[in-house]
Structure formats: C-alpha cells, structure tokens
Amino acid sequence: MQTNEKIKVAVVEPNTLFLEGFIHLMTNCAGFELTKYSMSGSEVYESFEISEPDILLTPLCSTDWDIVQLMKRTSINYPNLRIVICERINPGPLIKLLLGMGLCTYILKESICKTELIRIIHQVYETGFAPTSVVTQELRNSVKAESIINSSVILSARERDVLLMTCRGESRKAIAEKLCLTEATVKFHLDKLRERMNCQTVVQLVVKSMQEGLISI
C-alpha cells in the first residue's frame, strides 16, 4: 500500500453500539476511509458503485440481507471487494463454506481488540486472507472430518515455505524479509500456486492446500 493511500471500508452493523465503535475506529485511525455505514445491508450495497470500497465489514445477516445472498451478488458485480464477517456467534462448518465462496476471514466480536482488527483489515487488503483463531480451528476441523485427497501438486521447498507462512497470516513483506526474497518474488510464487491449483483467491488456495495435505496449520 502506498504511504498516502487509504483503505476504503464500508460497514454493515445492526447493533448500534458496535456500529458506533466501528465508525469511531474508521474515522479516527490514519490509513482508513469510511465510505458508508448503516444497519441496512441493502443501503450499504447500493453505495458500492460510487464509493468502491476495498473492504466490507458485515455480520452474517442484517435486517434486509443474509451473507450468502450478499456474496453471490458481490462476486458478480464487485469481484474485487474483500469481505470480512464480524459476528458474535461461531457458525462452525459454515465458515469453511463461506471461505469457499470468497470470504476473506471471520472475526468473533468478543475476542477482537482495536489493534487486532486494524491488523486484520490491513492483512485482508494486502493478501485477501487473514486467519483468525476461529477460522484456523474450523479449517483444522474440516480437514479432520474429511478424507485428505492426495495432491498431484509437488511443491518446492521455497513454495512450501511461502504457502505455509501465507496460511499462518504473514504478510508478503514479512515473508520476503524472513526468506530473503523480494515482495514481487513472494507474489510470483503465490500467483503460480493459485494457477497450478486452479484457485481464484488466496483463501481458496489455503483451503485446498489443507484438504490435499500439502500443508497444515
């Protein structure tokens, strides 16, 4: 992200207290631009064409939409929008389903602090994925419950390192520094892995890599 570039965030939140908290955070934290906020999901969605947010913070459902409906609509009309769910409940296996549909991460409200939320938004903006404890646990549970498919993909040692560190939520910059690579090289490895494994997003790459036994987190 450029030094003066702001991450554009839209917020849907039916709870007044949480909504006020998000508004305060986004308007008082350098590096963010709050493009739209509302208790109504449809109202926020209608603003996308003009405001073009990078990130959407949303619950599983609002007064006038549910997350599955939203993700189907945004995948067609706004494919570059990155969606982060912030909820009180853990929906269990639904998290993996939503990750497969393009969700970037899932946050439990009671377990998140300001610093961690800011870190997650930056991570999602940069890489499209930010593992939280609930996401990591559900991915592990899904792998245990399913038969691991033997993958035909053979990873080099460098590809495995890049993939594993990405799955653990490290940024491209951090990976590059630890592996003595450039950020461009890290991106190259991830792009080639997505191509080889037929994955559109980093999230899909993480899920498929675990299913096929290429990595574990």
Side-chain angles (χ1 to χ4, degrees), residues 85-147:
I85 293 179
C86 196
E87 260 291 358
R88 288 185 172 184
I89 63 169
N90 177 357
L94 178 60
I95 291 177
K96 185 195 167 189
L97 173 65
L98 294 173
L99 290 171
M101 294 177 66
L103 180 69
C104 293
T105 197
Y106 192 104
I107 302 168
L108 291 177
K109 288 178 178 176
E110 276 69 18
S111 65
I112 197 72
C113 65
K114 172 185 173 181
T115 303
E116 182 66 2
L117 179 59
I118 291 172
R119 184 197 67 78
I120 288 172
I121 292 174
H122 277 283
Q123 184 72 26
V124 167
Y125 178 77
E126 180 183 339
T127 69
F129 177 62
T132 60
S133 58
V134 65
V135 168
T136 300
Q137 188 58 53
E138 287 306 319
L139 287 176
R140 285 172 176 161
N141 290 344
S142 70
V143 170
K144 290 177 183 177
E146 299 170 0
S147 297

Coordinates of all heavy atoms in Angstrom, one line a residue, residues 85-147:
I85 N -16.4 -10.9 7.9 CA -17.6 -11.1 8.7 C -17.1 -10.8 10.2 O -16.1 -11.4 10.6 CB -18.2 -12.5 8.6 CG1 -18.8 -12.7 7.2 CG2 -19.2 -12.7 9.7 CD1 -19.5 -14.0 7.0
C86 N -17.9 -10.0 10.9 CA -17.6 -9.7 12.3 C -18.9 -10.1 13.0 O -19.9 -9.4 12.9 CB -17.2 -8.3 12.5 SG -16.5 -7.9 14.0
E87 N -18.9 -11.1 13.8 CA -20.1 -11.7 14.5 C -19.9 -12.1 15.9 O -18.7 -12.2 16.3 CB -20.6 -12.9 13.7 CG -21.7 -12.7 12.7 CD -23.0 -12.3 13.4 OE1 -23.1 -12.3 14.7 OE2 -24.0 -12.1 12.7
R88 N -21.0 -12.2 16.6 CA -20.9 -12.7 18.0 C -20.8 -14.2 18.1 O -20.3 -14.8 19.0 CB -22.1 -12.2 18.8 CG -22.1 -10.8 19.1 CD -23.3 -10.4 20.0 NE -23.2 -9.0 20.4 CZ -24.1 -8.5 21.3 NH1 -25.1 -9.2 21.7 NH2 -24.0 -7.2 21.7
I89 N -21.4 -14.9 17.1 CA -21.5 -16.4 17.1 C -20.5 -17.1 16.2 O -20.0 -16.5 15.2 CB -22.9 -16.8 16.7 CG1 -23.2 -16.5 15.3 CG2 -24.0 -16.3 17.7 CD1 -24.5 -17.1 14.7
N90 N -20.1 -18.3 16.6 CA -19.3 -19.1 15.7 C -20.2 -20.1 15.0 O -20.8 -21.0 15.6 CB -18.3 -19.9 16.6 CG -17.5 -20.8 15.8 OD1 -17.6 -21.0 14.5 ND2 -16.5 -21.5 16.4
P91 N -20.4 -20.0 13.7 CA -21.3 -20.8 12.9 C -20.8 -22.2 12.5 O -21.4 -22.9 11.8 CB -21.7 -20.0 11.7 CG -20.4 -19.3 11.4 CD -19.8 -18.9 12.8
G92 N -19.6 -22.5 13.1 CA -19.0 -23.8 12.8 C -18.6 -24.0 11.3 O -18.0 -23.2 10.7
P93 N -19.1 -25.2 10.8 CA -18.7 -25.5 9.4 C -19.2 -24.5 8.3 O -18.6 -24.5 7.2 CB -19.5 -26.9 9.2 CG -19.7 -27.4 10.5 CD -19.9 -26.2 11.4
L94 N -20.1 -23.6 8.7 CA -20.5 -22.6 7.7 C -19.3 -21.7 7.3 O -19.2 -21.2 6.2 CB -21.6 -21.7 8.3 CG -22.1 -20.6 7.4 CD1 -22.7 -21.1 6.1 CD2 -23.2 -19.8 8.1
I95 N -18.3 -21.6 8.2 CA -17.2 -20.7 7.9 C -16.4 -21.2 6.7 O -16.1 -20.5 5.8 CB -16.2 -20.6 9.2 CG1 -16.9 -19.8 10.3 CG2 -14.9 -20.0 8.8 CD1 -16.1 -19.7 11.6
K96 N -16.2 -22.6 6.7 CA -15.5 -23.1 5.5 C -16.3 -22.9 4.2 O -15.7 -22.6 3.2 CB -15.2 -24.6 5.7 CG -14.4 -25.2 4.6 CD -14.4 -26.7 4.6 CE -13.8 -27.2 3.3 NZ -14.0 -28.7 3.2
L97 N -17.6 -23.1 4.3 CA -18.4 -22.9 3.1 C -18.3 -21.4 2.6 O -18.1 -21.2 1.4 CB -19.9 -23.1 3.4 CG -20.9 -22.8 2.3 CD1 -20.7 -23.6 1.1 CD2 -22.3 -22.9 2.9
L98 N -18.3 -20.5 3.5 CA -18.2 -19.1 3.2 C -16.8 -18.7 2.6 O -16.6 -17.9 1.7 CB -18.5 -18.2 4.4 CG -20.0 -18.3 4.9 CD1 -20.1 -17.5 6.2 CD2 -20.9 -17.7 3.8
L99 N -15.8 -19.3 3.2 CA -14.4 -19.1 2.7 C -14.3 -19.6 1.2 O -13.7 -19.0 0.4 CB -13.4 -19.9 3.5 CG -13.1 -19.4 4.9 CD1 -12.2 -20.3 5.7 CD2 -12.4 -18.0 4.9
G100 N -15.0 -20.7 0.9 CA -15.0 -21.2 -0.4 C -15.8 -20.3 -1.4 O -15.5 -20.3 -2.6
M101 N -16.7 -19.5 -0.9 CA -17.4 -18.6 -1.7 C -16.7 -17.2 -1.8 O -17.1 -16.4 -2.6 CB -18.8 -18.3 -1.0 CG -19.7 -19.5 -1.0 SD -21.3 -19.2 -0.2 CE -22.0 -17.9 -1.3
G102 N -15.6 -17.0 -1.1 CA -14.8 -15.8 -1.3 C -14.6 -15.0 0.0 O -14.0 -13.9 -0.1
L103 N -15.2 -15.4 1.1 CA -14.9 -14.7 2.4 C -13.4 -14.6 2.7 O -12.7 -15.6 2.5 CB -15.7 -15.4 3.5 CG -15.5 -14.8 4.9 CD1 -16.3 -13.5 5.0 CD2 -16.1 -15.7 6.0
C104 N -13.0 -13.5 3.2 CA -11.6 -13.3 3.5 C -11.2 -13.7 4.9 O -10.1 -14.2 5.1 CB -11.2 -11.9 3.2 SG -11.2 -11.4 1.5
T105 N -12.1 -13.5 5.8 CA -11.9 -14.0 7.2 C -13.2 -13.8 8.0 O -14.1 -13.1 7.6 CB -10.7 -13.3 7.9 OG1 -10.3 -14.1 9.0 CG2 -11.0 -11.9 8.3
Y106 N -13.1 -14.4 9.2 CA -14.3 -14.4 10.1 C -13.8 -14.0 11.5 O -12.9 -14.6 12.0 CB -15.0 -15.7 10.2 CG -16.3 -15.8 10.8 CD1 -17.5 -15.9 10.1 CD2 -16.5 -15.7 12.2 CE1 -18.7 -15.9 10.7 CE2 -17.7 -15.7 12.8 CZ -18.8 -15.9 12.0 OH -20.1 -15.9 12.6
I107 N -14.4 -12.9 12.1 CA -14.0 -12.4 13.4 C -15.1 -12.6 14.4 O -16.2 -12.3 14.1 CB -13.6 -10.9 13.3 CG1 -12.5 -10.7 12.2 CG2 -13.2 -10.3 14.6 CD1 -12.3 -9.2 11.9
L108 N -14.7 -13.1 15.6 CA -15.7 -13.1 16.7 C -15.5 -11.7 17.5 O -14.5 -11.4 17.9 CB -15.4 -14.3 17.6 CG -15.7 -15.6 17.1 CD1 -15.3 -16.7 18.1 CD2 -17.1 -15.8 16.7
K109 N -16.6 -11.0 17.6 CA -16.6 -9.7 18.2 C -16.0 -9.7 19.6 O -15.2 -8.8 19.9 CB -18.0 -9.1 18.2 CG -18.6 -8.7 16.8 CD -20.0 -8.2 16.9 CE -20.5 -7.8 15.6 NZ -22.0 -7.4 15.6
E110 N -16.4 -10.6 20.4 CA -16.0 -10.6 21.8 C -14.5 -10.8 22.0 O -13.9 -10.6 23.0 CB -16.8 -11.5 22.6 CG -18.1 -11.0 23.1 CD -19.1 -10.8 22.0 OE1 -19.0 -11.4 20.9 OE2 -20.1 -10.0 22.2
S111 N -13.9 -11.4 20.9 CA -12.4 -11.7 21.1 C -11.5 -10.8 20.3 O -10.3 -11.0 20.2 CB -12.2 -13.2 20.6 OG -12.5 -13.2 19.2
I112 N -12.0 -9.7 19.8 CA -11.2 -8.8 19.0 C -11.0 -7.5 19.7 O -11.8 -7.0 20.4 CB -11.9 -8.6 17.6 CG1 -10.9 -8.0 16.6 CG2 -13.1 -7.6 17.7 CD1 -9.9 -9.0 16.1
C113 N -9.8 -7.0 19.5 CA -9.5 -5.6 20.1 C -9.1 -4.7 18.9 O -9.0 -5.1 17.7 CB -8.3 -5.7 21.0 SG -6.7 -6.2 20.2
K114 N -9.0 -3.4 19.2 CA -8.8 -2.4 18.1 C -7.5 -2.7 17.3 O -7.6 -2.7 16.1 CB -8.7 -1.0 18.8 CG -8.3 0.1 17.8 CD -8.1 1.4 18.6 CE -7.4 2.4 17.7 NZ -7.2 3.7 18.4
T115 N -6.4 -3.0 18.0 CA -5.2 -3.3 17.3 C -5.3 -4.5 16.4 O -4.8 -4.4 15.3 CB -4.0 -3.5 18.3 OG1 -4.0 -2.3 19.2 CG2 -2.7 -3.7 17.6
E116 N -5.9 -5.5 16.9 CA -6.0 -6.7 16.1 C -6.9 -6.5 14.9 O -6.7 -7.0 13.8 CB -6.6 -7.9 17.0 CG -6.7 -9.2 16.3 CD -5.3 -9.8 15.8 OE1 -4.3 -9.2 16.1 OE2 -5.4 -10.9 15.2
L117 N -8.0 -5.8 15.1 CA -8.9 -5.5 14.0 C -8.2 -4.7 12.9 O -8.4 -5.0 11.7 CB -10.2 -4.8 14.4 CG -11.2 -4.4 13.4 CD1 -11.7 -5.6 12.7 CD2 -12.3 -3.6 14.0
I118 N -7.4 -3.7 13.2 CA -6.7 -3.0 12.3 C -5.7 -3.8 11.5 O -5.6 -3.8 10.3 CB -5.9 -1.8 13.0 CG1 -7.0 -0.8 13.5 CG2 -4.9 -1.1 12.0 CD1 -6.4 0.3 14.3
R119 N -5.0 -4.7 12.3 CA -4.1 -5.6 11.6 C -4.8 -6.5 10.6 O -4.3 -6.8 9.5 CB -3.4 -6.5 12.7 CG -2.3 -7.4 12.1 CD -1.9 -8.5 13.1 NE -3.0 -9.5 13.3 CZ -3.3 -10.4 12.4 NH1 -2.6 -10.6 11.2 NH2 -4.2 -11.3 12.6
I120 N -5.9 -7.1 11.0 CA -6.7 -8.0 10.1 C -7.1 -7.3 8.8 O -7.0 -7.8 7.7 CB -7.9 -8.6 10.9 CG1 -7.4 -9.6 11.9 CG2 -8.9 -9.2 9.9 CD1 -8.5 -10.1 12.8
I121 N -7.6 -6.0 9.0 CA -8.0 -5.3 7.8 C -6.9 -5.0 6.9 O -7.0 -5.2 5.6 CB -8.7 -4.0 8.2 CG1 -10.0 -4.2 8.9 CG2 -9.0 -3.1 7.0 CD1 -10.7 -3.0 9.5
H122 N -5.7 -4.7 7.4 CA -4.5 -4.5 6.6 C -4.1 -5.8 5.9 O -3.8 -5.8 4.7 CB -3.4 -3.9 7.4 CG -3.4 -2.5 7.6 ND1 -3.0 -1.6 6.6 CD2 -3.8 -1.7 8.7 CE1 -3.2 -0.3 7.1 NE2 -3.6 -0.4 8.3
Q123 N -4.2 -6.9 6.6 CA -3.8 -8.2 6.0 C -4.7 -8.6 4.9 O -4.3 -9.1 3.9 CB -3.8 -9.2 7.1 CG -3.3 -10.6 6.7 CD -1.8 -10.6 6.5 OE1 -1.1 -9.8 7.1 NE2 -1.4 -11.5 5.6
V124 N -6.0 -8.4 5.1 CA -7.0 -8.7 4.1 C -6.8 -7.9 2.9 O -6.9 -8.3 1.7 CB -8.4 -8.6 4.7 CG1 -9.5 -8.6 3.5 CG2 -8.7 -9.7 5.7
Y125 N -6.6 -6.6 3.1 CA -6.4 -5.7 2.0 C -5.2 -6.1 1.1 O -5.2 -6.0 -0.1 CB -6.2 -4.2 2.5 CG -5.9 -3.2 1.5 CD1 -6.9 -2.7 0.7 CD2 -4.6 -2.7 1.2 CE1 -6.7 -1.7 -0.3 CE2 -4.3 -1.8 0.3 CZ -5.4 -1.3 -0.5 OH -5.2 -0.3 -1.5
E126 N -4.1 -6.5 1.8 CA -2.9 -6.8 1.1 C -2.9 -8.2 0.4 O -2.5 -8.3 -0.7 CB -1.7 -6.8 2.1 CG -0.4 -7.1 1.4 CD 0.8 -7.2 2.3 OE1 0.7 -6.6 3.4 OE2 1.8 -7.8 2.0
T127 N -3.4 -9.2 1.1 CA -3.3 -10.6 0.6 C -4.6 -11.3 0.3 O -4.7 -12.3 -0.3 CB -2.5 -11.5 1.6 OG1 -3.4 -11.7 2.8 CG2 -1.2 -10.9 2.0
G128 N -5.7 -10.7 0.9 CA -7.0 -11.3 0.6 C -7.4 -12.4 1.7 O -8.4 -13.0 1.6
F129 N -6.5 -12.6 2.7 CA -6.8 -13.6 3.7 C -6.1 -13.2 5.0 O -5.0 -12.7 5.0 CB -6.2 -14.9 3.2 CG -6.4 -16.0 4.2 CD1 -7.6 -16.5 4.7 CD2 -5.2 -16.7 4.8 CE1 -7.7 -17.5 5.6 CE2 -5.4 -17.7 5.7 CZ -6.6 -18.1 6.1
A130 N -6.8 -13.4 6.1 CA -6.2 -13.2 7.4 C -6.8 -14.2 8.4 O -7.9 -14.1 8.8 CB -6.5 -11.7 7.9
P131 N -6.0 -15.2 8.7 CA -6.5 -16.3 9.6 C -6.7 -15.7 11.0 O -5.9 -15.1 11.6 CB -5.4 -17.3 9.6 CG -4.2 -16.6 9.3 CD -4.6 -15.5 8.3
T132 N -7.9 -16.0 11.6 CA -8.2 -15.7 13.0 C -8.3 -17.1 13.7 O -8.3 -18.1 13.0 CB -9.5 -15.0 13.1 OG1 -10.6 -15.8 12.6 CG2 -9.5 -13.6 12.4
S133 N -8.4 -17.1 15.0 CA -8.4 -18.4 15.7 C -9.6 -19.2 15.3 O -9.5 -20.4 15.2 CB -8.4 -18.1 17.2 OG -9.5 -17.3 17.6
V134 N -10.7 -18.6 15.1 CA -11.9 -19.4 14.7 C -11.8 -19.9 13.3 O -12.2 -21.0 13.0 CB -13.2 -18.5 14.9 CG1 -13.3 -17.3 13.9 CG2 -14.5 -19.4 14.7
V135 N -11.2 -19.2 12.4 CA -11.0 -19.7 11.0 C -10.1 -20.8 11.0 O -10.3 -21.9 10.4 CB -10.5 -18.5 10.1 CG1 -10.0 -19.1 8.8 CG2 -11.6 -17.5 9.9
T136 N -8.9 -20.7 11.7 CA -7.9 -21.7 11.8 C -8.5 -23.0 12.4 O -8.3 -24.1 11.9 CB -6.7 -21.3 12.6 OG1 -6.1 -20.1 12.0 CG2 -5.7 -22.4 12.7
Q137 N -9.3 -22.9 13.4 CA -9.9 -24.1 14.1 C -10.9 -24.8 13.2 O -10.9 -26.0 13.1 CB -10.6 -23.6 15.4 CG -11.1 -24.8 16.2 CD -10.0 -25.8 16.6 OE1 -8.9 -25.3 17.1 NE2 -10.1 -27.0 16.3
E138 N -11.7 -24.0 12.5 CA -12.7 -24.6 11.6 C -12.0 -25.3 10.4 O -12.5 -26.4 9.9 CB -13.7 -23.6 11.1 CG -14.7 -23.2 12.2 CD -15.4 -24.4 12.8 OE1 -15.8 -25.3 12.1 OE2 -15.6 -24.4 14.0
L139 N -10.9 -24.7 9.9 CA -10.2 -25.4 8.8 C -9.6 -26.7 9.3 O -9.6 -27.7 8.6 CB -9.1 -24.5 8.3 CG -9.6 -23.3 7.4 CD1 -8.5 -22.4 7.0 CD2 -10.4 -23.8 6.2
R140 N -9.0 -26.7 10.5 CA -8.5 -27.9 11.1 C -9.6 -29.0 11.3 O -9.4 -30.2 10.9 CB -7.8 -27.6 12.4 CG -6.5 -26.9 12.3 CD -6.0 -26.5 13.6 NE -4.6 -25.9 13.6 CZ -4.1 -25.1 14.5 NH1 -4.8 -24.8 15.6 NH2 -2.9 -24.6 14.4
N141 N -10.7 -28.5 11.8 CA -11.8 -29.5 12.0 C -12.3 -30.1 10.7 O -12.6 -31.3 10.6 CB -13.0 -28.8 12.7 CG -12.7 -28.4 14.1 OD1 -11.8 -28.9 14.7 ND2 -13.5 -27.5 14.7
S142 N -12.4 -29.3 9.6 CA -12.9 -29.8 8.3 C -11.9 -30.8 7.7 O -12.3 -31.8 7.1 CB -13.1 -28.6 7.4 OG -11.9 -28.0 7.0
V143 N -10.6 -30.5 7.9 CA -9.6 -31.5 7.4 C -9.7 -32.8 8.2 O -9.6 -33.9 7.6 CB -8.2 -30.9 7.5 CG1 -7.2 -32.0 7.2 CG2 -8.0 -29.7 6.6
K144 N -9.9 -32.8 9.5 CA -10.1 -34.0 10.3 C -11.3 -34.8 9.9 O -11.3 -36.0 9.9 CB -10.2 -33.6 11.8 CG -8.9 -33.1 12.4 CD -9.1 -32.7 13.8 CE -7.8 -32.1 14.4 NZ -8.0 -31.7 15.8
A145 N -12.4 -34.0 9.5 CA -13.6 -34.7 9.2 C -13.7 -35.3 7.8 O -14.5 -36.1 7.4 CB -14.8 -33.7 9.4
E146 N -12.8 -34.8 6.9 CA -12.8 -35.3 5.5 C -11.6 -36.1 5.2 O -10.6 -36.1 5.9 CB -12.7 -34.0 4.6 CG -13.9 -33.1 4.8 CD -13.8 -31.8 4.0 OE1 -12.7 -31.6 3.4 OE2 -14.7 -31.0 4.1
S147 N -11.7 -36.9 4.2 CA -10.6 -37.7 3.7 C -9.6 -36.8 3.0 O -10.1 -36.0 2.1 CB -11.0 -38.8 2.8 OG -11.9 -39.7 3.5

